[in-house]
Amino acid sequence: MTFEGLLKNSPDIKKAFDFSKKAHSGQKRKNGEPYFNHPLATAKTIIEEWKFDDLATTAAALLHDVAEDTPHDINEIKKNFSEEIVFLVDGVTKLGHVKYRGIETRIENMRKFILALSKDIRVLLIKLADRLHNMRTLNALPPQKQRRIALETMEIYAPLAYRLGMFKVSGELEDLAFPYIYPQEHKWLLENVKEKFEEREKYAKKIIPIITERLKSNNVLLTKIDFRAKRYASLYRKLLKHEMNLDDIHDLVAIRAIVPTIENCYNALGVIHKIWQPLPNRIKDYIALPKINGYKSLHTTIFGPEQKIIEIQIRTPEMHEIAENGIAAHWAYQKNKAAIISSAQEMSLVQKLRNWQTNKASNLEDLKIDFFKDRIMSLTPKGEVIDLPQDSTPVDFAYQIHSEVGNHCVGAKINGRIASLDTKLKSGDLVEILLQKNKLPSEAWLSFVKTTNAKNHIRSALKYKKMGLLRHENTETELKIVVEDRIGILNDITKIIARSHINIMSHQSHSVKDKFKTVKIVCDLINKDKLEKLIIKLKEIKGVKSVEHHFI
Ligand code: MN
């Protein structure tokens, strides 16, 4: 189904198309083209690239930026479109409020938040298509924004796409982000891999007809055969594991044979092994034993014609479609019972999605993902995600940020309105904690707080209160920085810290492995804003691989 086809045949799509085009008229994107091109590209990706031909999703994709970026608010959309479409648009708009803040420990929270707000898998598909188009056009933005959006894409959206089994999208998002985050590494790869790539591609093109002919003469049916080049971002990750030695990478270019049935897969493998000797330990049967994320294929690495090593992947069209488009592909292959979502700890999500894809027609309720139903994902005014158990209150929220925030909390605003401290929070709530210095917790809080963290801190603060003492728990911050060692790196790090007017109390470093080193720096307690800025600056130093912090 093409987008144009839908536009002609569906009055709903036509209406959303016209509404969005009008709402965005006069607006331009940073590269000068009409803004409407963006929602249009988002809708086209869903329909044409992922073949996810759901009318409400397409309409919502067209409308996804109307409420946020034009004078037409969600109420106006409500007046004109179905509840289902409004729900999807509202979900995508809410996702836009969460911002990447760059501190490692919070990244997982942000992913959870996005999943929790995407109660309907279609919200996430629209968001991914939206992000994909933004990444494809990222070069028009100013450098600072490019970097933030690229980091957010690499840390949040690419892994989410991966979890949904959408490996093609996840790979493309990573590759689009890679040069903005690792410009030097990207340059290195281009310079050092290009020749190897070209040489391998030439070889693949040469041997495809030979393999085709051999399979045919052995009566193996072949739907399609071509090759794929390994993506830069994943190549870089693999090279890091192999001391940057390109000769260790056998799948720089791999041949991909698509055959009609599973039986054909094994037949093809047999024929190939009869003619060309396989490398030992490199035959992988992901059909009998699929990867944990549901990936299925046969892989083998052979000494091909001219005794050159090449990887061959064999799969059915269905396996191929699912390997590329994951959850979206199940829309088309709904009878397939395979699990598609990665990581074992998210089995409940897999279960949900399985249920959903087996009875697509029966009920839209099945599209709802409520596997985080016992968690509440709320936001600080800066868009940072705070993950809490159900029935948590602003006091729990405050203690989750920091014990001192909890201890001095006197009130709260929820979504801009003053609320009492025992109000039960909901996912997506934006919570602002009102503070008063020298204020201490009240005993009454113990009757409504939900988290053990809050309870413990309140009890301990009350104890000190009785003794007439004010207790300050944390006085210092420890930074743990993993670096790839080079001359002067320690100096660069301490210079950045000193320049931020932060006192270093002590520092020590030790080697972890080869050229890697861990540097531990203890400094005066730093407020969170300053700390976040410092961490971003530290991460920009050449050779710094990760920065963690905790208060001591
Ligand atoms: Mn958008």
Side-chain angles (χ1 to χ4, degrees):
M1 177 65 89
T2 63
F3 179 78
E4 294 303 321
L6 268 192
L7 192 57
K8 248 185 235 142
N9 296 320
S10 158
D12 279 350
I13 299 299
K14 176 82 174 96
K15 195 172 162 197
F17 181 93
D18 291 340
F19 189 93
S20 172
K21 192 169 182 179
K22 204 168 150 219
H24 289 297
S25 70
Q27 288 182 330
K28 288 224 159 26
R29 300 200 87 215
K30 278 277 182 302
N31 59 8
E33 55 176 301
Y35 193 91
F36 180 65
N37 286 5
H38 166 66
L40 185 59
T42 306
K44 280 187 173 171
T45 294
I46 293 169
I47 290 283
E48 293 174 3
E49 291 182 46
W50 302 343
K51 302 173 185 75
F52 192 86
D53 55 351
D54 176 57
L55 290 181
T57 311
T58 312
L62 286 168
L63 296 166
H64 83 267
D65 276 331
V66 168
E68 194 76 341
D69 296 337
T70 78
H72 310 265
D73 64 2
I74 193 82
N75 289 321
E76 206 170 323
I77 299 176
K78 270 184 196 156
K79 269 184 232 145
N80 289 280
F81 297 94
S82 71
E83 215 176 291
E84 190 185 6
I85 295 172
V86 173
F87 171 79
L88 295 174
V89 173
D90 195 43
V92 180
T93 307
K94 278 202 185 116
L95 285 191
H97 293 157
V98 54
K99 291 266 164 4
Y100 178 75
R101 317 266 317 154
I103 289 187
E104 311 265 339
T105 53
R106 307 232 165 88
I107 290 171
E108 198 45 43
N109 265 358
M110 195 171 153
R111 287 188 201 138
K112 278 193 210 158
F113 176 78
I114 290 170
L115 282 174
L117 274 196
S118 315
K119 289 198 186 73
D120 184 318
I121 189 74
R122 296 174 297 175
V123 172
L124 211 47
L125 289 180
I126 298 168
K127 188 67 201 170
L128 286 172
D130 166 53
R131 179 51 58 116
L132 193 58
H133 185 249
N134 284 337
M135 286 306 293
R136 284 172 178 168
T137 51
L138 192 63
N139 57 356
L141 292 187
Q144 193 108 37
K145 262 196 159 170
Q146 284 176 339
R147 203 182 133 76
R148 189 187 67 76
I149 294 172
L151 273 170
E152 195 174 83
T153 302
M154 190 72 107
E155 308 268 22
I156 314 285
Y157 290 102
L160 276 179
Y162 189 88
R163 280 184 209 189
L164 294 173
M166 304 175 77
F167 304 128
K168 195 172 156 198
V169 181
S170 143
E172 185 177 349
L173 286 174
E174 281 188 343
D175 264 13
L176 288 165
F178 187 65
Y180 295 101
I181 306 171
Y182 302 105
Q184 274 139 359
E185 287 84 347
H186 184 248
K187 218 176 119 208
W188 184 91
L189 273 181
L190 286 184
E191 279 163 10
N192 291 277
V193 182
K194 194 170 169 271
E195 209 174 309
K196 265 254 152 49
F197 256 134
E198 282 170 0
E199 175 200 317
R200 303 303 290 161
E201 273 183 18
K202 227 167 97 190
Y203 179 64
K205 280 181 191 156
K206 203 163 88 186
I207 68 168
I208 281 176
I210 304 173
I211 297 174
T212 308
E213 195 271 316
R214 292 299 183 105
L215 289 177
K216 266 191 191 146
S217 62
N218 283 278
N219 300 319
V220 177
L221 295 171
L222 190 63
T223 309
K224 198 179 152 198
I225 185 164
D226 59 9
F227 63 89
R228 73 104 182 89
K230 195 166 186 67
R231 289 183 173 278
Y232 276 108
S234 82
L235 175 60
Y236 177 69
R237 267 199 301 269
K238 202 164 183 178
L239 278 169
L240 279 177
K241 279 191 231 154
H242 290 93
E243 278 101 35
M244 303 312 272
N245 187 356
L246 271 171
D247 292 326
D248 283 354
I249 316 284
H250 296 306
D251 62 345
L252 205 54
V253 171
I255 305 272
R256 218 170 241 172
I258 316 279
V259 297
T261 65
I262 291 180
E263 208 187 341
N264 297 142
C265 291
Y266 289 105
N267 289 342
L269 186 74
V271 168
I272 287 165
H273 284 171
K274 210 165 67 189
I275 306 167
W276 297 290
Q277 192 198 333
L279 261 71
N281 303 325
R282 309 227 13 133
I283 307 163
K284 308 252 166 70
D285 185 350
Y286 294 125
I287 293 178
L289 299 165
K291 281 194 192 179
I292 191 129
N293 54 37
Y295 175 83
K296 285 183 176 181
S297 261
L298 298 176
H299 288 193
T300 184
T301 307
I302 56 160
F303 293 100
E306 299 164 37
Q307 282 297 300
K308 279 189 187 163
I309 295 174
I310 188 139
E311 182 175 306
I312 301 181
Q313 306 172 349
I314 306 162
R315 52 174 79 150
T316 65
E318 188 170 339
M319 289 173 199
H320 181 62
E321 187 64 31
I322 288 163
E324 303 260 290
N325 292 331
I327 183 80
H330 279 286
W331 193 259
Y333 288 99
Q334 31 159 326
K335 275 185 233 89
N336 189 289
K337 301 279 192 291
I340 32 151
I341 306 302
S342 65
S343 70
Q345 73 267 26
E346 282 181 28
M347 279 314 281
S348 54
L349 169 62
V350 175
Q351 205 53 51
K352 269 277 166 229
L353 292 166
R354 269 188 191 149
N355 293 343
W356 160 58
Q357 41 125 347
T358 47
N359 44 25
K360 167 192 161 191
S362 66
N363 196 339
L364 278 173
E365 281 304 299
D366 292 334
L367 291 169
K368 302 261 159 67
I369 309 173
D370 58 355
F371 66 112
F372 281 127
K373 65 169 185 261
D374 51 344
R375 304 298 297 177
I376 288 165
M377 303 288 162
S378 44
L379 288 177
T380 69
K382 284 182 187 155
E384 184 186 303
V385 180
I386 304 294
D387 173 9
L388 293 163
Q390 196 153 40
D391 294 338
S392 286
T393 64
V395 175
D396 295 290
F397 181 95
Y399 277 105
Q400 207 67 15
I401 297 176
H402 195 275
S403 56
E404 292 296 291
V405 176
N407 283 342
H408 302 311
C409 146
V410 288
K413 280 186 181 175
I414 301 176
N415 302 322
R417 290 207 188 123
I418 295 278
S420 71
L421 285 175
D422 61 354
T423 311
K424 286 177 180 166
L425 297 176
K426 292 191 300 295
S427 265
D429 275 350
L430 208 132
V431 185
E432 186 186 341
I433 298 297
L434 308 172
L435 297 170
Q436 202 175 306
K437 254 196 180 166
N438 304 327
K439 254 299 197 232
L440 282 170
S442 124
E443 191 139 15
W445 291 0
L446 286 171
S447 66
F448 60 75
V449 292
K450 196 74 196 163
T451 53
T452 325
N453 179 42
K455 274 182 197 149
N456 290 343
H457 280 112
I458 294 168
R459 282 201 192 104
S460 120
L462 288 173
K463 212 164 76 192
Y464 278 83
K465 192 176 172 183
K466 278 186 194 135
M467 290 155 63
L469 294 169
L470 264 181
R471 187 174 168 218
H472 289 285
E473 301 191 344
N474 302 14
T475 53
E476 288 171 345
T477 305
E478 185 187 70
L479 296 165
K480 194 175 134 205
I481 307 165
V482 177
V483 300
E484 194 181 334
D485 209 8
R486 62 171 172 81
I487 293 166
I489 189 161
L490 212 54
N491 192 28
D492 289 351
I493 291 171
T494 50
K495 231 168 38 196
I496 291 279
I497 298 176
R499 228 185 276 152
S500 311
H501 304 287
I502 294 164
N503 286 330
I504 295 177
M505 319 294 280
S506 71
H507 70 76
Q508 45 165 308
S509 62
H510 64 271
S511 297
V512 214
K513 210 183 119 211
D514 306 327
K515 39 195 176 103
F516 288 99
K517 222 177 200 180
T518 305
V519 183
K520 282 186 183 169
I521 295 179
V522 176
C523 30
D524 274 352
L525 186 65
I526 313 173
N527 79 38
K528 256 180 37 192
D529 276 355
K530 218 167 163 182
L531 181 63
E532 279 168 7
K533 277 181 200 145
L534 176 66
I535 288 177
I536 290 167
K537 274 188 208 152
L538 289 172
K539 281 185 173 175
E540 277 166 1
I541 298 174
K542 190 176 163 243
V544 169
K545 296 295 167 195
S546 76
V547 182
E548 282 171 41
H549 78 279
H550 64 269
F551 303 111
I552 52 178

